[in-house]
Amino acid sequence: MRLVLLGLPGAGKGTQGDRLAEKYSIPHISTGGLVRSVIDSGLKLGEIFNAYIAKGNLVPDEYMMEMLRQRILADDCRNGWILDGFPRTVAQAKRLDQMLEHETEVLDRAIDIRISGEEAVLRITNRRICRSCGQIYSIEHSPEKVKGFCDKCGEPLYQRPDDNVEVARLRIKVYMEQTHPCVHYYAQTGRLTSVNGEQDIDAVFADLQAAVAVLYAKKAGGQK
Ligand code: AP5
Ligand code: MG
């Protein structure tokens, strides 16, 4: 199963991507996560990436396409993947389609997790993340049990440097201008499902599972 998760910053792509990956045993690939790991590695390239991410801008396509290509050609991606944060532009969406065509594969669905801009800012500023295992928390909706430490692995939590109100607003603007057109791209090619992201986390996950079940049923029936 090959899925793309679309949605405003804070929509729940990371939260739901983790759950879907566990449920369907396919990797959850966050391109934001890939960018942050290059930044954390201390490589020169990380400094270049940081200059974009810190201002809420997109990292240029030439870097992103190559990182994505290498990641989805890895062995663990043979049975599919869940992309979170990719594509960010219609150009990236088209290049993903070309890349898949080359491998005689197809994207099964793009799923748009819909929330409002106000909800996005609220969620982003309330988010905390485990530095070690990446578990996502919300100080409002899903707080950790011991303040500042991960429930799963006990390591300290942190707040992403781009998770402040000012950069969040810029990220939302960039999303509406550059990424939202992908929703139309997938709708026009009959590959879009939308879910209401302003329900609780379990309810959003239930809607996503229902959408994925339809896709598996179609595949089992031999339909494209
Ligand atoms: P990226 O890391 O992808 O950030 P983003 O798109 O801004 O999305 P977020 O990670 O902020 O939100 P999310 O939807 O994952 O929400 P989450 O599940 O954490 O990208 C960062 C940067 O990298 C970009 O700005 C860009 O510079 C660069 N980049 C990445 N990909 C690129 C590409 N392809 N091309 C170019 N540049 C690229 O949830 C948020 C919070 O809400 C959490 O606290 C969570 O607990 C809570 N929450 C989740 N669901 C619910 C719910 N249903 N109810 C209540 N709270 C909820
Ligand atoms: Mg995320």
Side-chain angles (χ1 to χ4, degrees):
M1 184 64 56
R2 293 176 179 82
L3 300 174
V4 154
L5 297 182
L6 297 169
L8 278 176
K13 304 180 295 295
T15 304
Q16 300 295 342
D18 280 347
R19 287 188 166 206
L20 289 168
E22 196 179 335
K23 164 99 192 179
Y24 298 105
S25 302
I26 47 176
H28 164 208
I29 302 172
S30 155
T31 47
L34 294 178
V35 167
R36 283 185 289 278
S37 63
V38 174
I39 294 173
D40 292 345
S41 71
L43 292 170
K44 186 84 190 155
L45 186 60
E47 285 175 34
I48 297 173
F49 287 179
N50 198 39
Y52 292 100
I53 205 169
K55 291 187 184 141
N57 288 321
L58 299 182
V59 172
D61 282 2
E62 70 253 33
Y63 300 113
M64 296 312 302
M65 292 311 307
E66 184 51 24
M67 280 206 297
L68 182 83
R69 196 185 66 80
Q70 285 183 19
R71 183 62 191 89
I72 66 176
L73 286 177
D75 269 359
D76 64 336
C77 289
R78 253 175 301 163
N79 293 327
W81 32 249
I82 299 151
L83 291 188
D84 149 12
F86 194 100
R88 290 299 242 259
T89 60
V90 172
Q92 288 187 3
K94 288 182 175 168
R95 287 180 71 180
L96 175 63
D97 282 341
Q98 287 161 5
M99 212 184 268
L100 292 174
E101 205 179 325
H102 190 256
E103 303 295 323
T104 58
E105 289 167 356
V106 288
L107 176 72
D108 291 293
R109 207 76 184 166
I111 306 183
D112 183 25
I113 306 176
R114 297 173 62 93
I115 64 165
S116 68
E118 302 90 84
E119 177 71 11
V121 174
L122 204 67
R123 286 191 190 176
I124 286 170
T125 48
N126 282 340
R127 173 170 49 195
R128 301 293 182 271
I129 303 170
C130 175
R131 205 174 271 290
S132 177
C133 73
Q135 178 68 28
I136 302 167
Y137 296 89
S138 161
I139 55 174
E140 194 188 350
H141 294 285
S142 51
E144 68 278 22
K145 292 191 181 86
V146 178
K147 195 167 167 41
F149 293 92
C150 181
D151 296 350
K152 271 188 165 175
C153 70
E155 294 296 319
L157 305 185
Y158 84 113
Q159 191 169 18
R160 273 171 41 182
D162 59 342
D163 276 358
N164 56 70
V165 175
E166 199 189 23
V167 182
R169 292 199 191 287
L170 292 171
R171 284 159 58 198
I172 291 167
K173 186 170 179 284
V174 168
Y175 182 90
M176 291 315 296
E177 288 172 359
Q178 302 194 48
T179 309
H180 188 67
C182 295
V183 171
H184 301 296
Y185 174 74
Y186 288 121
Q188 279 161 4
T189 48
R191 295 178 291 172
L192 183 75
T193 298
S194 296
V195 302
N196 174 9
E198 289 199 9
Q199 314 173 76
D200 68 42
I201 292 174
D202 289 341
V204 177
F205 186 54
D207 284 357
L208 290 169
Q209 283 186 90
V212 175
V214 170
L215 298 173
Y216 272 113
K218 275 188 186 165
K219 269 182 181 285
Q223 270 180 268
K224 271 218 158 181

